[in-house]
Amino acid sequence: MQIIFSEKQSDYQITAKLEREGQDILIQLVGGDVPHFGVVTGVNENNLLYDIQMPSRKGHVHQETVLTHEMIKIIQPVIQGNVFIVSGVHVNNISKIQMQAAFEMVEKLAQKVKEWIIDNPGKQQVEHFAN
């Protein structure tokens, strides 16, 4: 099951799409004129943070970690397992106002995600390993 939250501001939209497997959550944080997957940020309940930034054009990498880290900062207190955020938000010829709006939208989306996690806790699964 996929849960979808969206925010629109300054003539564009950002969407957070959530999926849960056990206590782990996958979030797609995409939007703008050219939604894509350019950054992966992973974090666990112990605050171990990992980032992958794919090349965006020659000599540059995608910069959406500023958005994924903002979301993680807000949802971190309620994380039960692993969280992966795959993100890509591109607004053609973005203005400073639109850039600031991205942070405001992600903050609102993160609050919705946090509330959803609180209201829908993952079930603790028992793992068995071979000897």
Side-chain angles (χ1 to χ4, degrees):
M1 173 174 53
Q2 192 175 68
I3 306 301
I4 300 174
F5 300 111
S6 292
E7 287 291 328
K8 187 171 185 175
Q9 192 174 323
S10 297
D11 298 322
Y12 74 103
Q13 180 172 298
I14 298 178
T15 301
K17 302 173 186 176
L18 284 71
E19 292 183 40
R20 179 191 285 282
E21 294 293 338
Q23 293 184 312
D24 299 334
I25 297 173
L26 171 65
I27 302 169
Q28 295 179 40
L29 186 63
V30 296
D33 299 317
V34 187
H36 60 281
F37 299 132
V39 164
V40 178
T41 297
V43 67
N44 67 13
E45 72 274 12
N46 296 320
N47 264 345
L48 293 175
L49 184 71
Y50 303 90
D51 290 311
I52 299 171
Q53 293 175 274
M54 301 302 290
S56 58
R57 60 188 190 274
K58 188 173 182 153
H60 297 271
V61 294
H62 287 276
Q63 300 296 310
E64 287 87 352
T65 53
V66 296
L67 301 178
T68 60
H69 288 195
E70 182 66 25
M71 178 167 279
I72 285 171
K73 181 174 68 175
I74 293 168
I75 67 172
Q76 179 63 37
V78 297
I79 291 175
Q80 296 174 292
N82 299 314
V83 173
F84 294 95
I85 304 175
V86 182
S87 184
V89 178
H90 179 88
V91 176
N92 291 326
N93 301 309
I94 193 166
S95 69
K96 289 183 181 196
I97 291 171
Q98 289 174 311
M99 206 172 292
Q100 182 58 41
F103 290 98
E104 294 168 9
M105 287 188 279
V106 168
E107 184 177 319
K108 290 176 185 177
L109 289 168
Q111 289 297 337
K112 291 177 183 181
V113 168
K114 182 179 179 181
E115 290 173 21
W116 183 86
I117 293 170
I118 291 168
D119 293 343
N120 299 277
K123 295 178 183 168
Q124 178 69 40
Q125 296 175 323
V126 178
E127 297 178 5
H128 299 278
F129 299 95
N131 292 332

